[in-house]
Amino acid sequence: MDLRQLRHFLALVEHRSFVRAANAVRITQPAFSRSIQGLEQELGCQLIDRGAKDLRPTPEGLVVLQYAQELVRGASNLAHEVKRMGKLDAGELCFGCGPAPAARLVPETMALFVRQYPGIHVRFEVNNWERLARQLNKDEIEFFVADIRYFRTNPNFQTLPLEPRPSVYFCRPGHPLLDRARLTLGDLLDYPLASARIPLETRKTLANLKGVTDFKLNIECDHLPALEQIVRGSDTVGITTAEAIQPSLEARRMVRLPVDLPHAERPGAQCGIVTRTGYRVSAAARAMIDLLCEQDRRLHPATAA
């Protein structure tokens, strides 16, 4: 069974004549008859009452008619939608991003995308990598941009690395820690820590320093402006990427804490683009991913080179 046979059956029901239906679909009458017979043989039933003058459908034919209309209409809509999306002049794109790329990379890339493809409706959500993965598995988004350390060895996901985002510890001006000449990570653990969801490796490092089996942040939030406000109004120490906090550091709303850390204990986000294995993204998603990679190289020309 194929769509061609179904279209032929629909034409026969419409024109109630093998000759007129064959002319309508622009094939010879013998070829048209063979197509209908082949469909009947495959389904194992007679679809047309050939004894009736108006060639009305049989009861089985009425059932096939209903499904044939839906299938042919769906195939037509699919072809139209794919063609329209291929031109990138319409359609929808849904993706997600973590707090780190949401600070600069994604907004700047979105501005480029909107200028190039103004007809595409875009929806993106900022969330932590764990929740974004659940959304990806439910087909609620096509891809997401976040820390990829958890997904690199998972066969259900494909990852495309971007440039690493080093993180920093920051606090409000006048924080007691700023009076110390030299800071260690243990010094910071005397104060509440606030950050977006941190990877397992970072949690293990902090847990070892604190002498506990697992480490939980005092405040976990994926919204950077809210984190900044909490840090500004308390002795809480914030953790985020240098890229995200840079405007506040330059405006002196926040102060970077010069923590003396071994290389293995330095925080950071290993950002990348995550898609599902075996799933092909849309033309709009591919265009956005390409722009994200280009913009990432512009933001980090030295490391990209």
Side-chain angles (χ1 to χ4, degrees):
M1 183 195 311
D2 57 34
L3 286 173
R4 178 182 56 85
Q5 291 174 309
L6 295 178
R7 290 191 178 98
H8 292 171
F9 175 63
L10 292 177
L12 182 57
V13 173
E14 178 183 355
H15 295 282
R16 301 301 175 92
S17 164
F18 278 87
V19 175
R20 291 194 299 270
N23 289 335
V25 298
R26 298 181 179 180
I27 64 173
T28 65
Q29 192 271 324
F32 184 87
S33 296
R34 287 195 297 270
S35 177
I36 297 298
Q37 290 169 2
L39 181 61
E40 289 178 325
Q41 290 173 3
E42 187 167 354
L43 293 174
C45 61
Q46 188 173 329
L47 302 177
I48 295 294
D49 184 357
R50 290 168 174 78
K53 290 184 179 180
D54 57 356
L55 294 178
R56 70 175 63 94
T58 63
E60 294 87 352
L62 290 174
V63 174
V64 174
L65 175 64
Q66 177 184 355
Y67 282 94
Q69 289 172 333
E70 294 178 2
L71 289 169
V72 170
R73 187 185 307 115
S76 177
N77 292 339
L78 175 62
H80 177 72
E81 187 66 20
V82 169
K83 182 178 179 181
R84 188 171 65 170
M85 289 193 70
K87 293 182 179 178
L88 289 176
D89 57 1
E92 184 177 78
L93 168 63
C94 301
F95 72 99
C97 68
R104 185 177 179 185
L105 174 63
V106 171
E108 291 185 4
T109 306
M110 272 298 308
L112 296 172
F113 187 87
V114 169
R115 288 200 295 268
Q116 293 186 32
Y117 312 108
I120 302 291
H121 172 72
V122 181
R123 176 180 63 82
F124 74 93
E125 179 177 345
V126 180
N127 217 320
N128 63 66
W129 49 268
E130 196 169 42
R131 292 183 180 178
L132 291 174
R134 288 200 291 266
Q135 288 183 295
L136 185 62
N137 279 325
K138 293 179 181 178
D139 290 328
E140 295 175 359
I141 55 177
E142 289 196 72
F143 69 91
F144 64 85
V145 193
D147 198 302
I148 62 173
R149 278 174 281 191
Y150 176 80
F151 306 98
R152 284 183 298 198
T153 58
N154 191 323
N156 297 317
F157 299 97
Q158 288 185 322
T159 59
L160 177 62
L162 298 173
E163 294 305 316
R165 263 67 179 175
S167 293
V168 297
Y169 296 93
F170 64 96
C171 64
R172 62 173 176 83
H175 193 285
L177 285 173
L178 296 175
D179 294 332
R180 303 188 187 184
R182 183 175 177 272
L183 292 174
T184 65
L185 191 53
D187 297 327
L188 270 58
L189 295 178
D190 293 333
Y191 294 87
L193 290 184
S195 173
R197 189 169 184 81
I198 56 178
L200 180 61
E201 294 91 336
T202 306
R203 282 169 50 194
K204 287 180 177 178
T205 299
L206 295 172
N208 290 334
L209 284 170
K210 204 165 185 179
V212 294
T213 56
D214 191 16
F215 179 85
K216 290 186 178 180
L217 291 163
N218 301 87
I219 302 164
E220 184 177 300
C221 178
D222 297 317
H223 189 245
L224 180 59
L227 281 179
E228 284 196 43
Q229 190 168 349
I230 293 167
V231 171
R232 191 181 301 120
S234 67
D235 285 341
T236 301
V237 173
I239 311 172
T240 189
T241 62
E243 185 178 272
I245 200 65
Q246 191 61 33
S248 294
L249 295 177
E250 293 175 352
R252 298 184 179 181
R253 294 189 298 268
M254 295 291 158
V255 181
R256 179 172 180 169
L257 287 166
V259 186
D260 185 15
L261 293 174
H263 181 77
E265 297 177 2
R266 293 174 187 172
Q270 296 183 18
C271 289
I273 297 167
V274 182
T275 56
R276 289 179 69 187
T277 301
Y279 285 76
R280 186 173 182 178
V281 299
S282 66
R286 174 49 53 194
M288 173 62 79
I289 290 172
D290 290 343
L291 283 176
L292 284 165
C293 293
E294 292 175 12
Q295 185 64 15
D296 184 59
R297 288 190 290 270
R298 294 191 191 102
L299 290 173
H300 302 272
T303 52

